[in-house]
Amino acid sequence: PRCNSLREAIRFARSEHLMGVICDADVVKVESSVINAVRRRGMMMMTFGAANNDTGFLDECLGYNIDMVCVDHVRHVVAFLERRRAEHGDPGASEESAGSNDPASAPPVLEGLPA
């Protein structure tokens, strides 16, 4: 069932042993404490919505430890993440991979998942 209450979504996710909850990024913009409410329960926090395409907001989200964001402008966001990674001294960062169509050059967002 779909939940219109984040509190109910958290309760439902826990009761059904789900990995986490997903909510509109605008909710996180207004009330960032919701992330801690989810994380304290050992679940993942994911967001969707137009706000996720704003790199300023994404930068904030990384500070909040959001686990996943669904975006519309993938190349734009990947380029931002690559620049951010390079600025923070990550040796795996590569400016040339931003916007590439080669799957091998994509950021390692799926590392550790079963094939």
Side-chain angles (χ1 to χ4, degrees), residues 89-103:
D90 183 346
S94 164
E95 287 288 332
E96 62 208 34
S97 69
S100 170
N101 286 326
D102 178 9

Side-chain angles (χ1 to χ4, degrees), residues 5-75:
S5 157
L6 196 51
R7 178 176 287 151
E8 184 61 23
I10 293 169
R11 188 202 62 74
F12 177 78
R14 287 197 69 195
S15 71
E16 296 300 317
H17 307 287
L18 301 176
M19 291 178 61
V21 297
I22 184 166
C23 73
D24 193 305
D26 289 334
V27 172
V28 174
K29 277 185 140 179
V30 173
E31 188 58 52
S32 62
S33 65
V34 72
I35 301 162
N36 289 331
V38 172
R39 306 284 297 190
R40 275 195 313 270
R41 288 161 178 84
M43 295 186 294
M44 296 175 70
M45 180 69 195
M46 297 147 277
T47 63
F48 65 90
N52 284 343
N53 296 308
D54 172 7
T55 56
F57 177 68
L58 279 178
D59 203 37
E60 286 181 49
C61 287
L62 292 171
Y64 295 147
N65 292 320
I66 287 183
D67 297 292
M68 185 183 84
V69 294
C70 297
V71 301
D72 298 315
H73 306 292
V74 175
R75 287 182 187 212

